[in-house]
Each structure stands twice: as structure tokens, then as C-alpha cells.
Amino acid sequence: MHELSIAGAICDAVKEHAGGDDIALLRIEVGTLSGVLADALDFCIREVARAEGLGEPEIVIDQIAPRCLCACGLEYDCTEILEGCPSCGGFDREVTAGMDVLIREIQTEGEEK
Amino acid sequence: MSRTKAQIDIAAKNRTLAAESRGVLRGRGIFTVNLIGSPGCGKTSLLEATARHFGERMAVIEGDIKTDLDAKRIEAAGIQAVQIETGGACHLDAAQVAGAIARLDLESVEILFIENVGNLVCPSSVDLGEDVKVAVVSLPEGDEKPAKYPALFVRAGAVVINKTDLLPYLDYSIERAAADCRKLSNKAVVMPLSCRTGEGMDMWISYLEGAIASR
Ligand SMILES: Nc1nc2c(ncn2[C@@H]2O[C@H](COP(=O)(O)OP(=O)(O)O)[C@@H](O)[C@H]2O)c(=O)[nH]1
Ligand SMILES: [Mg+2]
Ligand SMILES: [Zn+2]
């Protein structure tokens, strides 16, 4: 529900980074446990980027499954969060990734710096 | 054309503010609970019932889209409360909470509750400076809510299953909901209770007293 404000935060960070250059491509990583909808975020970033004068970048959103570290030592991609560890079946695990929204790549149209 | 591989966490600014609040609260030995659940699950009712036990040892920050009705309910229960009206936003953020903390008299406070905006999704990922996220669900919502909204329940240190007094009227398996909660957050303390009858409130109170004692 708050994809617009997240898009605003992304564009702020990108603007700071790009220093006025148009943006060619933005790669964003969205964890499936971030509570953020990838499609809605895609739409919102396009709108905010245009409004903020960042150009019309290609937006690539990679959705990533939670990464879990089990007490048995196995680290695995957890596509079905209600299923236990593929090795020991247990649920004593720590989610180490897949909860956040991260900017992974920024390509600008400007000169090589 | 310049290309930069990055790892910019867009929640970083909020997290920094939350860490500052956490520092202030922990420095005073206060245990802080971020209460998250659907509209109507009974978050304010739970705080009213909790107030009877803690009295002036407790303070509340109320988050709602509109009105200060909940803060008034808490004050009527004899507890210090500050209302945040988000004006439409679906969750509280660390800046709003830091502002509210500054308005509280923390002198006698040992436990601070932040009642988040009623929503099972958006508040989950936003750090407010709390020590624990407590998810609140209630029987009329159905027992599959933890399974359907994992983003909240994986982060929950405890889950309150409220309105157990309604069990005779509903097809709700407390066992199923509790089992899903534990799958999603292995160490979560799951507490079925009724704010209405007081059944199960003792476990909730001793959970909180234990948390305060460990501060
Ligand atoms: N039967 C029953 N109703 C409850 C219980 N707790 C809260 N309610 C009712 O649920 C409704 C919503 O409660 P409220 O505390 O305002 O929910 P909030 O939106 O989560 O803060 C009110 O009508 C309460 O009286 C309970 O344990 N049993
Ligand atoms: Mg309320
Ligand atoms: Zn395992």
C-alpha cells in the first residue's frame, strides 16, 4: 500500500547518486517478505522518476525468495515459507535475506565518470 | 554511460532514526512493543485491559489514519497516551514515533506500547525502535491469517490470538493458527486470550513482566 513512498525514497537515493544525469536503468531487488508489491512499485517508480526529471529509465525488479539459515547449518532459498528445512525439516531458522527493498544497479546516460 | 552496482537499502534512513529511539528507550530501561494487527482485532482493547495491571508504569503511542479516539480511550483508562494521525499513511514511521516519544513523560514508564495503524502488511517492515513486534489476530478474522500474511508473522516475537470468547460461534482452530505462527517465527510466544473475559490475560501480563525484568 505504500509503494509510492518507497518509489519516492528510491528516486531520492538515485538522484543523489546520479547527480543530474538521466537514468538509463534501475535494478531493484524486492524481497517477497518485504510487504512490497513488485508491480505496484514498478509503476510508481516510473511515475516518480518522470515527475522528478530522472528520465524514463528501464526498471528491472528482481523478486527474491527468503533466504533462511537453519539451526542445522543449511542455508537455503525458502520458496514455501510454511515448509521446514529441506535437510532436517525444522523451523529453527533465521531469515537472512528477502525482507528488504534494495537498489542493486543504477545506469546513467551521462559521461563515464 | 556509467553503470554502478549498488546495495542501497531504502529503509536505511528510517532504521537510523529507529536506532536512535531504541537507544533513548533502552537507556531508560524501557521495554517497547510495536503492536501490529488488522483494524478491529482488538489492539486498543488489549491495551485497555493491560492498563489495569501496569498503571503509570505504562505509556502508549497511538497510530491511526484519522482521529484521536484511541488515545482518548487509553487516557480514560488512566494511562498516558500520545496520538499520531498519519493522515492516510498505512503505517507509522520512526520519525513520527520519535516525535511522539519526545512528547511523553517517561519518568515512571517501564513499558511503552506503540499501537500501529490497523494493517497486516505495511507496518511489518518498518522499524520504529521497538524491542519486539507483537502481532495481534482475532478469531473472527479466520485461522489462516498467519499463513496468508507471512511478512508480519516472520518478524513477530509474540502473537496474541484475541477474542477467544467467540470460539463457540466460529470455525477457528487456535492450534492451526498457533502452529503456523511458530513455523513462521520459531521462537514466537503465542498467547490466545480474551480482552472481554480476561481469559489468558495472565500469560500476556507475565510475558510482559518477564520482558521488563530482562531489560
Ligand atoms: N468478543 C470480543 N470482542 C472484543 C475483544 N477485544 C476487542 N473486542 C471488540 O472488537 C472491536 C474492536 O476493538 P478495538 O480494540 O477498537 O480494535 P483495534 O482496531 O485493533 O484497536 C470492539 O468492538 C471491541 O469491543 C474480545 O476479546 N472479545
Ligand atoms: Mg485501535
Ligand atoms: Zn535444517
Side-chain angles (χ1 to χ4, degrees), chain B residues 40-45 73 115 162-163 165-166 194-196:
Chain B
C41 65
K43 297 177 294 300
T44 310
S45 303
R73 279 171 65 186
E115 180 182 334
N162 186 28
K163 311 194 188 181
D165 58 293
L166 299 177
S194 166
C195 297
R196 172 70 49 98

Side-chain angles (χ1 to χ4, degrees), chain A residues 1-2 6 9-10 13 17 24 33-35 81-82 91-93 99-112, chain B residues 1-11 15 90-91 119 121-122 125-126 147 150-151 154-155 180 182-184 186-187:
Chain A
M1 289 293 284
H2 55 279
I6 291 177
I10 288 173
H17 188 92
L33 287 178
S34 66
I81 193 82
L82 284 168
F91 288 91
D92 186 359
R93 60 192 176 183
M99 308 232 266
D100 303 309
V101 177
L102 302 170
I103 302 172
R104 283 296 191 186
E105 187 178 343
I106 303 169
Q107 286 181 26
T108 60
E109 307 272 19
E111 299 282 296
E112 193 77 50
Chain B
M1 167 86 78
S2 115
R3 167 192 298 225
T4 312
K5 298 276 183 200
Q7 179 165 341
I8 304 172
D9 180 356
I10 55 111
R15 200 167 288 148
C90 46
H91 61 87
N119 186 315
V121 180
C122 305
S125 57
V126 185
V154 293
R155 294 168 169 90
D180 284 350
R182 289 198 196 93
K183 284 178 182 172
L184 292 165
N186 190 244
K187 291 174 185 74

Side-chain angles (χ1 to χ4, degrees), chain A residues 20-99:
Chain A
D21 293 340
D22 273 5
I23 308 298
L25 180 143
L26 270 184
R27 183 180 291 276
I28 311 290
E29 179 182 303
V30 175
T32 55
L33 287 178
S34 66
V36 172
L37 277 174
D39 285 350
L41 185 62
D42 183 305
F43 175 79
C44 291
I45 294 174
R46 281 171 212 284
E47 290 302 310
V48 177
R50 190 174 310 133
E52 299 274 313
L54 293 172
E56 297 196 3
E58 183 184 340
I59 311 288
V60 182
I61 296 191
D62 301 319
Q63 283 188 272
I64 66 153
R67 186 95 182 139
C68 290
L69 176 59
C70 182
C72 78
L74 183 72
E75 195 168 4
Y76 61 100
D77 288 327
C78 185
T79 44
E80 266 310 321
I81 193 82
L82 284 168
E83 281 168 21
C85 166
S87 169
C88 72
F91 288 91
D92 186 359
R93 60 192 176 183
E94 200 185 317
V95 181
T96 55
M99 308 232 266

